[in-house]
Amino acid sequence: MKEMVADGKIKETDNIVIKMEGINKSFSGVKVLTNVNFTLRKGEIHGLVGKNGAGKSTLMKILLGVETKDDGTIELYGRRDIQNRYEFIAMIFQELSLIPTLTVAQNIFLTNPSKKGRVFLDIKEDYRRAREVLERLKPDIKVDELVENLSIADKQVVEIAKALGQEKKIMIMDEPTTSFTANQMEAFFNIIRKLKNEGISIVYISHNLSDIFKVCDRVTVLRDGKNVCTSAIKDTTMETVIEKMTGSSSKSSEVVKFSFKDYCEDEQPLLEVQNLSFNNKFKNISFKLYPGEILGIAGLTGSGKTELLEAIYGIQPIDEGNIYVRGERVSSLTPQNSLKLGISLVPDERQVKGLVLIHSVSDNIVLPIIKSMKKGFFTSKRKILDTVKNMIEKLMIKVADVNQDVMNLSGGNQQKVVIAKSFSVNSNIILMDDPTLGIDVESKREIADIIKNFVKSGDNAVILVSSELEVLEGYCDRVLIMKKGEIVGEIKNTMSDRITEDKLMSLIQ
Amino acid sequence: MDFKEVTGENRFLKALQKNIVYVVFLTIFIFFSLVLRGKFLSYSNLMNIARQTSIYSIMAIGMTFALSAGEIDLSLDSVIALTAMVTAVVLRDFGIVLGVLAGLGTGLAVGSFNGIIVAKLKVPSFLVTLTTLEIVAALARWITNLKTIPISNDTYNFIFGSGDIGPIPILFLWLILFLVIGYIALKRIPFGLKLLATGGNERAAIFSGIKTRKIKMIALIISAVGASIGGILYAGRLHGARYTLGQGTVLSVIAASVIGGTSLFGGKGTVIGSVIGAVMIGMVNNGLILMGLSVAQQMFFRGLILLIAISINVHLQTRRI
């Protein structure tokens, strides 16, 4: 591909490397892209934003040439006749394309290893070339290290090195920094700014608008498969972009506000955690959860919030500390015992920890309570059907029938099935780990209503961990701030002061 | 959009996916009925097939539990042999009841051994049972010093092998009994769902409060006990036990389960399917013999037919429709 550029067959017109015009695409009669235009210049970082389902990934698949378009033109380096555009464009997902058991150098040159003669691999040459590439990005990554031993941020750098190793000058990055710490994020941004100065063009897809505003030159907003705008970052503001993404000028209409409640400190807490510590994941965690409360926990990835929730539920071991439910000490920390005590967990990574994807909606919902679904010795189909129908109605889960495989549901409906599992065991305390991540706005709103109704009776409570700070702002009257495994602060809604996304954002840094 | 549009082609494929074992079964049945007119469809031949496939079917039911839990039991062959030997020896010295109990105990012991190592030490069952295959085979040779033990107890041979009640082979009745038990265990009591969930996504099962290690252990015990029931019935049918008994069985048993619709990757299992798969394999064996093929030719075509049936099935299973 270098050669093609070198002998002048591909020229760069006006520094525009990609020009997509009038792209249309429908899936089984449903229009997902309507007359979308998109251009990428040489040496630019171009943010692509939009809510889930706005058409970002379809547009990128069409750009790569792995999905067909119904209509429209695509010019790559001024040429329309290149079909296999993925050979020129690197797609960078989080960790996805690396092979963990191979070395950094082997990964970088997986498709184009150096050879001695025609047959033998030239490992030394690959090490040298890999070192050369990494020198530009992050010199402290060792080329002979196995990829599985790298941090997530370093893995991402290796992904980029791989693209550079293949001489690709265009990269699409899809949520590249999701599980990075703040420091890793800064280092990563420096790397991609450097790439930009070297003339690499980057499409940067992210839900995190502050990232977009930090690193991009231009931003394109998609909504319902249509371009809403493309604008230089310096000519726009985050508020404008949010407005264009949601299509509404008032942001708070999407969020359910709760009435302010003042918790009296002498009330019997539903759950109390004292000095909980485990390894270096979390230490000296103490807090109280009161009936009727949605207690938020905010923190960056790696702050230990997932581990803490899983420890309270009894999956993650602890070194020391105590948990009290309604004033009584919990003697054995196992999921079985937690469920008995009325504590359930809605785990993060719903497809990994929450659901048996190849099983039906019904089987998933009754799994934790299958013991109580008996009539005599046998399980009662009637009882199961009643329970499941009740849950489907209560949580507004959209299914064709209860025996449909969970695999075929949308993200939002899958999440509701996970929540239904917690509801079906009749818990008083539900621990939720990022329940709204990666689901559509409609389901988000419905889940907010569900949580709200759950605590309304005053007997129940929820601990809500979320990486989406606007969710914590909208749901909680009290939020604990976690940093590097410790609770470093707490903010509350009071008469004079309200929890806001901005405050949370600055507190967790 | 929540649902994919269900097109006509999709609906057909879905129905085919669900019922593929019956389609393959019928195809083979019709093929042999036409080719071997009279010989294949005779009452005595059909009963013969029932007799020959009942033992396989019972073991396939056991294997269904191991596979559904995401495990596999490769020690089957030697468990059959050791059980037959133990049963024959104890039977000779202490009578039927203790003989049968000792046989079942053999399966229980090997299954528990497999299960504990898999559950506690987290060694893949593939490796554990492949190793116990050898250890148990050695025991089967050891306890009688390679000698064959004949069984002269007619009651035993009648109940556990060659007897008929009226027109029905007694082995077939055993099959019906274990089919009912297996079906209930997998589909009608809480244990079955826990087992399938463990095989389908162990982490999600743990998060749902299920003791997945215990479940896996029980699954491996069930498959080993299934094999020991096989051993007891083989001994009764052949009126004796020899350490070579059961050799080469495990392939057919796993094939029967997979053809029947049980997933090798766990999470999906059906005992009825496994039995139909086993009967299908029995039918192929029988048909090939009746066609007058040599032993080598029988092996060749049986292997080929198994491969085709398994491929069709696995392909349809893993294909997302």
Side-chain angles (χ1 to χ4, degrees):
Chain A
M1 40 195 122
K2 270 189 304 193
E3 295 76 28
M4 293 179 75
V5 182
D7 69 20
K9 276 185 202 152
I10 290 175
K11 33 179 237 257
E12 292 162 12
T13 31
D14 305 328
N15 273 339
I16 286 177
V17 291
I18 289 169
K19 190 172 192 178
M20 303 176 84
E21 274 182 331
I23 306 292
N24 283 292
K25 176 74 185 173
S26 303
F27 286 116
S28 29
V30 179
K31 197 112 188 172
V32 291
L33 292 176
T34 313
N35 276 323
V36 173
N37 302 323
F38 183 80
T39 58
L40 183 65
R41 294 183 188 140
K42 188 180 176 199
E44 114 171 304
I45 304 177
H46 193 142
L48 181 61
V49 299
K51 293 191 293 190
N52 293 327
K56 290 170 299 188
S57 49
T58 310
L59 184 68
M60 288 301 111
K61 279 183 192 156
I62 289 173
L63 171 58
L64 287 168
V66 294
E67 183 75 73
T68 57
K69 58 184 188 315
D70 297 343
D71 204 0
T73 60
I74 303 174
E75 285 180 16
L76 177 65
Y77 297 117
R79 283 177 50 168
R80 291 189 184 182
D81 57 334
I82 305 172
Q83 296 307 315
N84 46 349
R85 290 179 292 272
Y86 51 85
E87 287 183 10
F88 298 85
I89 303 172
M91 184 78 206
I92 293 172
F93 299 104
Q94 193 123 37
E95 306 173 46
L96 221 65
S97 76
L98 298 180
I99 296 163
T101 50
L102 297 183
T103 64
V104 168
Q106 282 171 327
N107 267 288
I108 294 177
F109 299 110
L110 194 61
T111 52
N112 52 340
S114 309
K115 283 187 186 160
K116 271 184 219 157
R118 289 181 149 266
V119 182
F120 298 104
L121 290 174
D122 189 345
I123 295 164
K124 274 193 185 144
E125 173 64 7
D126 273 351
Y127 278 165
R128 193 193 60 73
R129 284 166 69 201
R131 225 171 273 129
E132 206 175 271
V133 175
L134 284 169
E135 203 64 42
R136 291 153 64 189
L137 305 174
K138 198 163 181 292
D140 64 327
I141 298 178
K142 293 200 182 73
V143 293
D144 56 350
E145 184 68 80
L146 295 182
V147 163
E148 62 189 355
N149 298 331
L150 299 181
S151 72
I152 287 173
D154 283 355
K155 281 181 191 160
Q156 197 69 287
V157 175
V158 174
E159 288 269 10
I160 293 174
K162 190 174 166 183
L164 293 175
Q166 295 169 346
E167 310 275 344
K168 292 182 178 174
K169 304 255 188 266
I170 302 171
M171 299 182 192
I172 301 171
M173 301 188 179
D174 194 351
E175 295 285 0
T177 63
T178 4
S179 35
F180 285 17
T181 63
N183 287 339
Q184 288 172 334
M185 205 105 93
E186 263 325 303
F188 184 77
F189 289 157
N190 284 334
I191 287 173
I192 60 176
R193 285 190 194 108
K194 205 159 153 195
L195 291 175
K196 170 184 131 177
N197 292 335
E198 289 179 14
I200 307 275
S201 311
I202 298 169
V203 181
Y204 193 100
I205 303 173
S206 180
H207 284 107
N208 194 335
L209 294 180
S210 49
D211 284 8
I212 300 271
F213 274 79
K214 232 182 247 173
V215 81
C216 294
D217 302 303
R218 286 196 298 161
V219 60
T220 291
V221 181
L222 288 184
R223 184 174 78 229
D224 305 329
K226 294 178 191 129
N227 289 89
V228 208
C229 78
T230 296
S231 146
I233 284 288
K234 60 177 173 14
D235 299 335
T236 186
T237 63
M238 210 184 280
E239 288 67 38
T240 320
V241 170
I242 291 173
E243 234 170 74
K244 306 235 175 199
M245 280 167 71
T246 57
S248 69
S249 51
S250 83
K251 182 182 151 206
S252 55
S253 69
E254 299 284 352
V255 183
V256 184
K257 270 282 174 199
F258 292 94
S259 61
F260 166 67
K261 183 189 173 205
D262 204 2
Y263 302 101
C264 38
E265 293 291 320
D266 47 69
E267 198 176 350
Q268 158 101 284
L270 206 48
L271 178 89
E272 181 172 357
V273 173
Q274 275 181 8
N275 297 320
L276 217 58
S277 297
F278 175 64
N279 230 344
N280 46 14
K281 298 286 185 195
F282 50 83
K283 46 186 180 280
N284 285 325
I285 303 284
S286 300
F287 65 86
K288 291 172 182 171
L289 173 72
Y290 295 99
E293 182 181 33
I294 301 172
L295 174 65
I297 299 182
L300 294 166
T301 313
S303 59
K305 43 194 186 11
T306 293
E307 289 82 357
L308 174 62
L309 275 201
E310 289 181 3
I312 297 171
Y313 182 59
I315 287 217
Q316 174 91 235
I318 58 164
D319 294 331
E320 54 186 325
N322 285 309
I323 294 171
Y324 299 84
V325 176
R326 292 176 204 85
E328 278 191 46
R329 199 178 86 88
V330 180
S331 53
S332 101
L333 280 171
T334 61
Q336 292 81 30
N337 197 35
S338 296
L339 290 170
K340 250 181 247 159
L341 291 170
I343 306 175
S344 59
L345 172 72
V346 175
D348 64 332
E349 295 185 84
R350 57 182 165 267
Q351 301 207 342
V352 183
K353 300 179 188 169
L355 297 167
V356 182
L357 287 173
I358 56 171
H359 287 181
S360 67
V361 172
S362 167
D363 283 352
N364 271 283
I365 290 179
V366 298
L367 183 59
I369 47 157
I370 187 67
K371 259 192 187 151
S372 62
M373 292 289 111
K374 282 199 294 189
K375 198 179 164 192
F377 181 69
F378 298 105
T379 45
S380 154
K381 281 184 183 163
R382 175 91 258 148
K383 266 191 182 174
I384 290 179
L385 192 64
D386 287 347
T387 310
V388 170
K389 278 197 166 155
N390 180 19
M391 282 300 150
I392 286 176
E393 212 169 287
K394 204 164 159 187
L395 303 188
M396 296 164 282
I397 305 173
K398 290 172 199 76
V399 291
D401 79 285
V402 297
N403 293 317
Q404 189 181 8
D405 282 351
V406 162
M407 182 161 66
N408 298 325
L409 299 184
S410 71
N413 280 307
Q414 287 185 352
Q415 187 63 51
K416 286 182 187 170
V417 173
V418 182
I419 295 174
K421 288 171 68 180
S422 285
F423 273 53
S424 69
V425 297
N426 264 325
S427 307
N428 294 115
I429 304 167
I430 300 187
L431 316 172
M432 294 191 161
D433 196 353
D434 244 334
T436 54
L437 193 68
I439 64 175
D440 58 288
V441 178
E442 175 81 8
S443 308
K444 248 183 206 179
R445 196 170 22 220
E446 285 168 357
I447 286 174
D449 284 337
I450 292 161
I451 298 175
K452 184 176 118 184
N453 282 329
F454 175 68
V455 296
K456 208 163 61 181
S457 70
D459 302 323
N460 305 325
V462 168
I463 301 181
L464 179 67
V465 161
S466 184
S467 57
E468 297 172 306
L469 300 175
E470 71 272 21
V471 168
L472 295 177
E473 176 193 327
Y475 290 34
C476 307
D477 283 330
R478 192 160 69 99
V479 178
L480 304 174
I481 310 294
M482 259 186 105
K483 228 189 259 186
K484 295 197 179 103
E486 287 184 275
I487 293 182
V488 295
E490 173 184 314
I491 58 171
K492 280 184 192 178
N493 279 336
T494 61
M495 290 309 203
S496 54
D497 204 16
R498 297 209 74 93
I499 298 169
T500 66
E501 196 182 342
D502 296 352
K503 274 186 215 161
L504 290 170
M505 178 76 84
S506 61
L507 283 167
I508 62 173
Q509 298 302 325
Chain B
M1 244 200 348
D2 287 332
F3 311 113
K4 273 200 203 158
E5 207 176 338
V6 180
T7 60
E9 191 207 15
N10 259 342
R11 211 170 289 154
F12 173 73
L13 276 173
K14 253 194 173 147
L16 187 65
Q17 183 180 41
K18 221 176 157 189
N19 301 305
I20 182 67
V21 62
Y22 304 101
V23 175
V24 175
F25 185 93
L26 273 180
T27 310
I28 294 176
F29 187 82
I30 292 168
F31 173 78
F32 283 130
S33 305
L34 291 178
V35 174
L36 300 161
R37 216 161 305 171
K39 272 195 270 180
F40 182 75
L41 272 183
S42 73
Y43 175 79
S44 68
N45 190 49
L46 291 180
M47 279 305 115
N48 204 11
I49 293 176
R51 209 171 278 124
Q52 282 162 350
T53 57
S54 290
I55 301 179
Y56 273 93
S57 302
I58 291 167
M59 293 189 290
I61 292 169
M63 184 63 78
T64 307
F65 285 83
L67 295 177
S68 300
E71 304 295 332
I72 196 164
D73 189 348
L74 299 176
S75 65
L76 205 82
D77 292 3
S78 349
V79 176
I80 295 169
L82 183 63
T83 302
M85 300 304 280
V86 167
T87 307
V89 171
V90 176
L91 173 74
R92 185 185 59 198
D93 300 340
F94 303 100
I96 290 190
V97 176
L98 285 178
V100 172
L101 285 179
L104 292 174
T106 307
L108 189 68
V110 178
S112 307
F113 184 76
N114 288 336
I116 286 170
I117 295 181
V118 169
K120 300 283 177 205
L121 305 181
K122 296 184 181 169
V123 184
S125 53
F126 176 83
L127 286 174
V128 173
T129 57
L130 196 56
T131 318
T132 43
L133 174 71
E134 184 137 326
I135 296 172
V136 175
L139 292 178
R141 286 161 171 74
W142 203 342
I143 55 168
T144 62
N145 230 341
L146 304 183
K147 277 204 274 297
T148 303
I149 311 290
I151 297 175
S152 49
N153 186 323
D154 289 337
T155 320
Y156 179 88
N157 290 336
F158 181 85
I159 299 176
F160 295 103
S162 29
D164 289 328
I165 292 183
I168 300 165
I170 215 162
L171 285 173
F172 190 69
L173 297 177
W174 281 117
L175 167 60
I176 299 297
L177 174 71
F178 290 114
L179 178 60
V180 171
I181 294 174
Y183 175 79
I184 289 172
L186 196 60
K187 299 283 157 153
R188 301 303 305 276
I189 59 173
F191 168 75
L193 184 63
K194 291 186 192 172
L195 179 103
L196 290 166
T198 300
N201 181 352
E202 193 185 351
R203 274 187 90 187
I206 292 172
F207 274 87
S208 304
I210 287 159
K211 295 176 176 160
T212 56
R213 293 187 190 189
K214 190 174 123 193
I215 298 280
K216 286 181 179 183
M217 209 170 110
I218 297 174
L220 285 168
I221 290 174
I222 293 176
S223 70
V225 170
S228 69
I229 294 169
I232 290 169
L233 297 177
Y234 268 132
R237 197 160 168 242
L238 303 174
H239 300 194
R242 192 175 153 70
Y243 68 89
T244 50
L245 216 62
Q247 272 177 8
T249 308
V250 70
L251 170 68
S252 300
V253 168
I254 291 174
S257 292
V258 173
I259 290 169
T262 296
S263 167
L264 265 182
F265 311 107
K268 280 188 178 164
T270 144
V271 289
I272 297 173
S274 296
V275 170
I276 291 174
V279 174
M280 199 197 94
I281 294 174
M283 211 162 65
V284 169
N285 283 337
N286 177 276
L288 293 175
I289 293 170
L290 290 186
M291 281 169 82
L293 268 56
S294 73
V295 174
Q297 288 166 331
Q298 284 172 37
M299 273 172 77
F300 181 82
F301 284 108
R302 186 182 61 205
L304 208 62
I305 292 170
L306 283 188
L307 186 63
I308 293 169
I310 291 173
S311 304
I312 293 175
N313 195 302
V314 172
H315 176 74
L316 279 176
Q317 287 265 324
T318 45
R319 186 188 163 132
R320 229 183 117 178
I321 298 175

